[in-house]
Amino acid sequence: MLSTVKNVDYKVDDNTKALARALVDSGFISLEQAKNILAQVKESGGESKFEQLLIDNNLVTEDQILETKAALWNVPYIDLSNYEVDPEVLDLIPDKAARQYKFFPLFRIDGTLLIAMSDPKDVKVIDKVTQLTQLEVSPALSSGNAITEAINKYYGKAEEAPPEVAVSNEELQDLLESIESETEESEEETSIQDLERLAEEAPVVKMANMVLIQAIVEGASDVHFNPEENELRVRFRVDGVLRDAFHLPKNLQEAIISRIKILSNLDIAEHRIPQDGQLRLKLKDGRAIDIRVSTLPSAFGENMVLRILDKNAALLNLENLGYEEDSYKKIIDILSNSYGIMLVTGPTGSGKTTTLYAALNRLSTVEKNVITLEDPIEYRLPLVRQSQVNPKAGMTFAKGLRAILRQDPDIVMVGEIRDSETGNIAIQAALTGHFVLSTLHTNDASGAITRLEEMGIEPFLISTAVLGVMAQRLVRKICPFCKEEYTPEFEVPQRILDMVGIEDQSELKFYRGRGCSKCRDTGYKGRISIIEVFPVTERIRELILKSASSDEIKRTAIEEGMHTLLEDGWIKVLKGITTYEEIMRVTNLG
């Protein structure tokens, strides 16, 4: 049996073939599964990794792969998450060396030092550690992520350089002065030909490019060009909050707006109606950045908003979204069903699309036909057929969903249920053997049930089709570079203390960011989800059939173990991830 795997020419390296044989030998995967995954590696030209494909297709866990590799290479496998490290051993290895060579020191016995490595066969690393310590080095196997986490835990996080500022004040002033006086305001209306010429002038082109690059460098999700009476204000939305970026002279307004319109294939002669377009930037590092462009006539000229989408951004997995363990298990249990519907709720910008993509990333395999209907498609997903609504062409959510159901799907993702027609089709799809993922705009998870009822969907259909509901918000994380401990003036509710196993308020530690150059003096850097999620249990199903209020459904969900958005936020405050003020802001309770 094993010789079949060995002799098939999949143009993969011998180590991968040996691992495939060992996994088959161990009974973790079948021969057919091994051949199928190896074929995918070959078809991708080596871009797809054998081990990651096994995990993505839910054939094995990372621990099973590591245990198999350890046995294959005759080295111990160490789970660093449960490992207690001797502090004296850390003194043997500088943190710079541990980070550079990606290993972690475990313990020393006489003249031998055991180190954790993701590749115990890397003799260069072993030789380097031997030189550093003058000890015999014995390697053990651990995952790369676990090694990085251990280094950060025991040595402290590495200092990251702040984002390089793409535009300095001096550069901005020089650029403004270099723009020709032809852009000066005039009582006469600028002709279309003049606008086209000015939009292509080198200084205007450079100015527009500099604004966009600065936004990307700072991690902005949106860029706002806001015309005011005497200036063009440019604002960036970073970590969900808008802030001023530039104040440009009024006489540059039409030229810069026209420049972006030209790049987006919009009509520069049309100022009276809204327009939508898109453009793509290719950066020197190889990234492709897609930008959605929207214009809106306003009192002082056309307002323009750009949504920045990094197509090369790493696709997140559910386990990397910061969910608490009990909530994560509920989500996985819901996703393990072969049919039914899971709903994700929250306002615009709350991370619903990221959650859906992460769920699809877990569910999509070569054995399943996964189709999405989105508005618009934000990121490309492997093994997923993605389609986009186009109301002007008659491609609505309802019409598109009907078409998808004729494509023999196993899993369907509908970007949003906006009306009763789409809702009814989605429910019927869930009842006829399809697994459906979609979103609703409601304040909390329990509100999704009453929202479907308001759309005219019968309670008995909702109770049968809906498997679970999740609500979420995004909160800003405390900047790790200026994080400091402080004593608050408020008390934590006892229910929250019970959740985290703390009995006395005096045991609590609170943190905040004091503000630094790396977080633009905000005290925050990055975002994380707070969520509430409940599966539709028998008790909740009975409430739905009785058309119970959302409050009653919520009370029952809490009795059955649901942590509310506020409670999940509190837990992250007590873990030092975010602040009390941020949770109050996002949950609208402050």
Side-chain angles (χ1 to χ4, degrees), residues 352 356 373-375 397 413-417 437-440:
K352 299 190 299 296
L356 290 179
L373 183 60
E374 306 174 51
D375 182 24
F397 272 115
M413 190 269 272
V414 185
E416 183 184 344
I417 296 176
L437 291 158
S438 192
T439 72
L440 281 170

Side-chain angles (χ1 to χ4, degrees), residues 5 32 45 50 66 247 267 279 334 410 427 449 462 483 572:
V5 175
E32 287 303 313
F50 177 69
L66 291 171
H247 293 262
D267 184 356
L279 63 95
I334 294 169
D410 296 294
I427 293 290
I449 303 300
I462 298 172
K483 186 175 182 178
K572 288 177 171 58

Side-chain angles (χ1 to χ4, degrees), residues 484-490 508-512 573 579-581:
E484 63 180 10
E485 188 177 336
Y486 79 105
T487 302
E489 297 178 355
F490 52 82
L508 297 176
K509 290 185 178 181
F510 287 82
Y511 298 89
R512 61 188 173 195
V573 169
T579 64
Y580 167 80
E581 291 78 13

